[in-house]
Amino acid sequence: MMKTDEVTQKLIDAALKVRENAYAPYSGYAVGAAVLADSGTVYTGANVENAAYPMTICGERNAIFHAVAEGERNFTRIVIATRNGGAPCGACRQVMAEFAPEMEVLLVDEQGTICRQTTVSELLPGAFTPKSLQ
């Protein structure tokens, strides 16, 4: 088991806690995410499903959009908590690449065990980013 520093443990705890609020009656796959902004503030989000499936939002995007709505634009680390340490979907990878392609990504299971430690750029090599539009 990987040792965690105080900040990482705070993010893991926040992701696990917000995961409890996920609304996932269709998939049964609750996701909680906690993203650390450069300011030091932690923002959280959970997945919220909808009977009209395309209207669903993932926990990762929910957390990042929450942070952006509060004025944040730069992120250093995100913890994503699922039942089994599952990886983020393509849409979430693209949103993460928009703001922080080198952000650290920690995937944890429902016990808070780190299953994988990576970066956004490793999860989405060759991402289409704002630089692509220049």
Side-chain angles (χ1 to χ4, degrees):
M1 184 170 160
M2 181 183 297
K3 287 192 166 200
T4 59
D5 59 45
E6 187 175 323
V7 173
T8 300
Q9 192 59 55
K10 179 180 175 181
L11 287 166
I12 291 170
D13 293 344
L16 290 170
K17 183 173 175 26
V18 75
R19 181 176 178 262
E20 295 172 7
N21 297 329
Y23 178 74
Y26 307 107
S27 72
Y29 195 75
V31 178
V35 64
L36 177 64
D38 280 356
S39 67
T41 304
V42 174
Y43 296 89
T44 61
N47 59 322
V48 179
E49 295 180 350
N50 190 284
Y53 293 156
M55 301 304 112
T56 296
I57 186 165
C58 300
E60 301 91 314
R61 285 182 287 143
N62 199 342
I64 292 169
F65 294 165
H66 177 198
V68 170
E70 295 295 326
E72 302 285 0
R73 298 293 186 273
N74 301 299
F75 308 101
T76 57
R77 188 179 306 161
I78 189 168
V79 170
I80 303 163
T82 65
R83 166 184 339 126
N84 57 355
C89 73
C92 289
R93 292 174 195 211
Q94 182 61 46
V95 168
M96 290 188 283
E98 175 76 14
F99 294 100
E102 297 309 315
M103 178 169 59
E104 180 181 30
V105 179
L106 297 172
L107 307 175
V108 303
D109 64 18
E110 59 193 354
Q111 286 78 39
T113 302
I114 298 171
C115 299
R116 183 173 179 195
Q117 183 173 359
T118 187
T119 65
V120 174
S121 62
E122 289 173 350
L123 287 172
L124 188 62
F128 187 87
T129 66
K131 290 180 182 177
S132 302
L133 296 173
Q134 296 175 354

